[in-house]
Each structure stands twice: as structure tokens, then as C-alpha cells.
Amino acid sequence: MAKEKPASAIPQHVAIIMDGNGRWAQKHHLPRLSGHEAGRKSVKQVVQAAMDHGVRYLTLYAFSVENWQRPREEVQGLMGLLRGVIREELREMGKEGIRLRTIGRQQDLPEAVREELERAIEETKANTRLDLILALSYGSRVEITEAMQALGREVKAGKLDPEKIREETIASYLYTHGMPDPDFLIRTSGEMRVSNFMLWQISYAEIYVTPVLWPDFGKKDFSDALADYAGRDRRFGGV
Ligand code: IPE
Ligand code: IPE
Ligand code: MG
């Protein structure tokens, strides 16, 4: 008989580096943007699977600060895609109890994207089934840099005693303040690197890298990843 998994076998917070859209497009002799478009259904499937499994926080790395260096056409295409997805999925998010949030430099995003995001964030803020966190114009080092600038200002103003700075103090200045750290980090398309993603927050995350390209990643792949997580022995430096 199937035994109910203990709650700790399910990560509370899953973070995903959605990689491989370009290679998927190349494999199918399509322009890179078609790969990004194809990645949209993977997002839908993974969001649904996360809720089915009882994951409470899902962070998706959708666009890094470094990604601004890509050809203008690709950046514009991605921004258009993002705007469309937010607009078209807003009703569904409301229905499913999803709260949309973002981390990253929202001020870098085109006005039209920002407006769509702000509306969706406002309209879904009371939902509690799943926090869907999009990392947009996100960079971990810039996040930490901005946090240190804010901390420095507080110290200079005499509002913060440097001796009283704790790990929690630093965490409270990051984009992720108030969110639990990711328990599980998934990267698709086989690259063994973290690409400036949540460097502070993943200090004890379990890491899972799959060769599957993001547009091919579906519910079954997500379940397989969670099964792998359930078998991990998280020691946090203990024995
Ligand atoms: C990930 O796919 C999506 C973004 C970074 C926006 P890539 O576009 O990086 O795909 P590859 O790595 O070139 O295959
Ligand atoms: C990481 O993928 C960023 C996102 C998935 C949004 P990249 O394709 O940009 O990272 P690198 O270039 O492989 O490190
Ligand atoms: Mg890539």
C-alpha cells in the first residue's frame, strides 16, 4: 500500500533555473524565441505539479541581469512574451489561489511589463495556496550589493549598530525578505552552475541538475525531481 510521505519529504520552497530554451529551438531548427515560447507550457505544468505536490513557494529564474546583454530582438521578444503570459494567466492564477511575486530589479523592466506585473501582484496578493515568485532582471550579487548599501545607510544614520547585524538582519534586506530559503534547486539542460542565482539563499539547498531542456520539462520530470529530493539526507553540517 502506498504510504503517505512525511511532510519534510516535500520541499516547502522549490527554485528552478529554467535553462535550455535556445538549445531546444536549435534542435528543432527554430528561432530562439520559439524556444522561449515553448517553455511557457513547461511553466504551466510545473506550477500545477508544484501545487499538486503541496509545494508552498516556487521561484522561477526567468530573466537575469546578465540576460540584458542578449541581442535586442531576443530581449524584446522575451519581454513581450512575459507581458502576454502575465495578462493571459491572471484569471487562472486567481482561480487557483496563486500569489504572484517578483524578485529582482523591477525598475529595469519596460513600463508595459511593469504595469502588467504590478496589477497581477496586487490582484493576487491575498492568495495563499502557492507563492509563485518570478526572478526578473535578477542577479544575486546586485541583490546583495543593494542590501549592503541600504544597511550602510542605516548605520550611517545611526539607526543600526554594526555589532547587532545578524544573518537575519542581512536576509531582511534581500529581495526575498519574509520568504523561506529554497530547500530544493533544480536546473534544466545540464549546466553545472548557479549563474548568479540566490547565492545567499541556496546555502543549504539540495541541488538537482537534469539534462532535460526546459521546454521538454513536464509534470513527470518535476515528480521525478521531487522523488530524488525525498531520498536526500539533509544534514546541515550535523551528523
Ligand atoms: C533559458 O534558456 C531562458 C532564459 C535565460 C531567458 P536559454 O535562452 O538560456 O537557452 P540556452 O541556454 O541558450 O539553450
Ligand atoms: C540562467 O541561464 C538565467 C535564467 C535561466 C534566466 P543563462 O542561460 O542565462 O545562464 P548561463 O549563461 O548558462 O550561465
Ligand atoms: Mg541558457
Side-chain angles (χ1 to χ4, degrees):
M1 216 172 72
K3 238 176 78 188
E4 190 80 18
K5 273 183 195 166
S8 61
I10 300 291
Q12 185 188 18
H13 186 172
V14 177
I16 307 182
I17 302 175
M18 309 183 289
D19 197 18
N21 296 351
R23 278 161 284 171
W24 183 93
Q26 195 175 31
K27 209 175 98 183
H28 295 271
H29 310 287
L30 293 166
R32 287 183 61 84
L33 200 59
S34 304
H36 298 312
E37 278 160 6
R40 187 175 164 170
K41 72 168 186 330
S42 299
V43 171
K44 282 203 79 155
Q45 289 215 11
V46 164
V47 167
Q48 195 58 55
M51 290 191 294
D52 293 346
H53 284 278
V55 169
R56 186 60 186 78
Y57 296 84
L58 177 67
T59 299
L60 301 177
Y61 201 7
F63 196 87
S64 72
V65 277
E66 288 79 16
N67 288 149
W68 291 112
Q69 300 164 39
R70 292 190 179 194
R72 212 177 65 142
E73 202 185 271
E74 182 173 347
V75 171
Q76 282 181 349
L78 273 165
M79 291 300 142
L81 187 66
L82 177 64
R83 185 178 170 211
V85 172
I86 305 295
R87 192 179 12 201
E88 287 154 32
E89 300 296 334
L90 180 55
R91 270 172 68 95
E92 186 77 5
M93 288 192 279
K95 221 172 72 195
E96 293 283 354
I98 298 169
R99 176 182 180 187
L100 186 74
R101 308 173 73 166
T102 59
I103 53 172
R105 291 177 46 86
Q106 264 198 77
Q107 66 270 37
D108 294 346
L109 300 170
E111 184 69 34
V113 176
R114 240 163 45 209
E115 278 172 14
E116 214 65 64
L117 275 170
E118 279 162 18
R119 190 157 65 102
I121 290 166
E122 179 61 29
E123 283 186 25
T124 62
K125 70 178 181 197
N127 295 342
T128 56
R129 187 162 169 220
L130 176 81
D131 280 34
L132 174 61
I133 303 142
L134 298 181
L136 295 170
S137 192
Y138 177 85
S140 192
R141 286 191 167 189
V142 74
E143 174 183 35
I144 293 169
T145 303
E146 287 175 10
M148 292 308 113
Q149 289 172 345
L151 256 167
R153 281 193 294 269
E154 295 287 291
V155 170
K156 193 175 169 194
K159 293 182 193 156
L160 179 66
D161 174 0
E163 302 311 318
K164 297 227 166 84
I165 295 173
R166 306 278 174 264
E167 290 187 8
E168 295 72 30
T169 322
I170 294 175
S172 75
Y173 282 85
L174 301 176
Y175 303 140
T176 48
H177 58 89
M179 303 175 194
D181 287 339
D183 304 288
F184 195 34
L185 174 67
I186 298 173
R187 182 166 188 150
T188 58
S189 90
E191 236 71 74
M192 297 287 182
R193 53 178 175 257
V194 290
S195 304
N196 200 18
F197 188 50
M198 299 184 105
L199 302 179
W200 172 277
Q201 297 88 341
I202 62 168
S203 65
Y204 260 105
E206 294 295 324
I207 299 176
Y208 180 88
V209 178
T210 167
V212 176
L213 304 174
W214 179 250
D216 291 328
F217 192 88
K219 280 189 171 182
K220 170 78 168 65
D221 302 281
F222 189 78
S223 298
D224 289 350
L226 285 200
D228 193 281
Y229 174 87
R232 305 279 180 99
D233 180 18
R234 301 187 78 187
R235 287 189 294 277
F236 299 99
V239 289

